[in-house]
Amino acid sequence: MNKESIKRFGALFVLGSIGVLIWGITQDWTEFQDAAVEAGVSTGEMAVLTVTSVHIALAVTVAIGLYCAPRLGFQSVVLNRVSQGKPLLAALKPHAIPALGIGAVFGIFLIGVELVTPILLEGIGAERNQTISFFVNRFPGAVIMGGITEELLFRWGLMSLVTFLLWKALGGERTQPQAWLVWSGIVVAALIFGVSHLPAVFTLYGSSPPIVLFTLLGNAAPAIVFGWIFWRYSIEAAMITHGFAHFVNIIVIVLLISMGVWPW
């Protein structure tokens, strides 16, 4: 690995690592106490193991994306800055405007998800905190870990890999993958993104079919749009869309709770 490759890897890995560390610090690990006991570790040890494993996955997916994404025509504004010295903010501006708009729409979608969740949990005899502190504590991890790290894991790494493999297997001699191959990569990565949320959901709320279906659809639907944004703009645009969706979602809910009009 040459110096240029190390710089490119380091730029994205550090960016993603910030999200992991903030999520690890702000996460209420006592919620996973039963799972820790079952695994034979303390909650502190579980936190360290989880954060470490996410960093390993991040390193692998960043490296995969560095190989696959440029060959597919997928873009990174940060990497263009590192490799070519292009001004970061000027290059990001055309991507940020549609990303913020679509992120706001999905922020409203997530509010709908938050409204339905307590009804599903009540049906299985579970419940979830709906206080201001609950949503405020979620804010850093959701916006930064969700917006940055999850996009590197599932779009930059996984979506790029799936699309690249499909292209090599089915794309013939074309120099770029056909649209249907990219859409296949987007959907597969989105479904895996939904599945990745199931272990935590199982730990907290059980594994009833309504909870499983709701988790899969509630996460895969926005992820398809994040994948499209990555394809058409850049990985940073997908990060902005994802992070801003959580920002709008949590800010609006906190305001509604403080006004006394949030139903839960």
Side-chain angles (χ1 to χ4, degrees):
M1 183 179 288
N2 58 37
K3 185 177 179 180
E4 177 70 16
S5 298
I6 293 173
K7 285 171 60 179
R8 288 164 62 85
F9 174 86
L12 293 183
F13 181 78
V14 169
L15 194 60
S17 180
I18 292 170
V20 180
L21 293 174
I22 289 175
W23 170 76
I25 292 169
T26 59
Q27 177 69 45
D28 182 6
W29 291 100
T30 60
E31 293 182 345
F32 298 90
Q33 187 168 4
D34 291 343
V37 170
E38 186 176 338
V41 297
S42 67
T43 52
E45 290 169 334
M46 171 166 275
V48 171
L49 289 171
T50 302
V51 169
T52 301
S53 65
V54 175
H55 270 103
I56 293 171
L58 176 64
V60 171
T61 51
V62 165
I64 288 172
L66 286 172
Y67 180 83
C68 296
R71 290 166 171 80
L72 297 165
F74 298 162
Q75 296 294 315
S76 167
V77 176
V78 168
L79 293 187
N80 288 341
R81 169 64 178 174
V82 170
S83 298
Q84 303 168 25
K86 293 183 177 181
L88 187 63
L89 294 180
L92 192 58
K93 185 177 178 181
H95 301 194
I97 294 173
L100 289 170
I102 296 171
V105 171
F106 272 94
I108 304 302
F109 169 82
L110 291 175
I111 292 171
V113 171
E114 296 290 355
L115 284 169
V116 174
T117 298
I119 299 173
L120 286 175
L121 294 180
E122 184 179 4
I124 62 171
E127 61 180 18
R128 192 177 72 176
N129 195 340
Q130 293 282 316
T131 63
I132 288 178
S133 62
F134 169 78
F135 288 104
V136 169
N137 290 339
R138 279 180 57 192
F139 186 84
V143 173
I144 301 174
M145 167 76 168
I148 297 175
T149 312
E150 287 185 352
E151 289 307 306
L152 287 171
L153 291 169
F154 291 97
R155 250 61 65 188
W156 178 256
L158 181 61
M159 176 183 145
S160 295
L161 176 62
V162 172
T163 306
F164 183 82
L165 293 176
L166 288 173
W167 173 40
K168 290 302 180 184
L170 305 172
E173 300 299 321
R174 294 175 182 265
T175 57
Q176 289 288 294
Q178 303 99 304
W180 73 270
L181 289 173
V182 180
W183 276 113
S184 299
I186 289 171
V187 172
V188 169
L191 291 173
I192 295 174
F193 178 70
V195 170
S196 73
H197 288 76
L198 289 177
V201 170
F202 290 166
T203 299
L204 296 174
Y205 309 121
S207 57
S208 69
I211 289 292
V212 171
L213 183 61
F214 186 70
T215 301
L216 289 176
L217 294 180
N219 286 285
I224 290 173
V225 178
F226 302 154
W228 178 82
I229 290 285
F230 172 36
W231 175 28
R232 289 306 188 189
Y233 294 95
S234 65
I235 188 61
E236 291 79 12
M239 291 175 182
I240 293 170
T241 304
H242 192 160
F244 194 61
H246 284 299
F247 178 90
V248 170
N249 167 43
I250 294 173
I251 291 296
V252 171
I253 290 177
V254 168
L255 288 174
L256 292 176
I257 293 174
S258 66
M259 294 165 61
V261 296
W262 182 250
W264 307 113

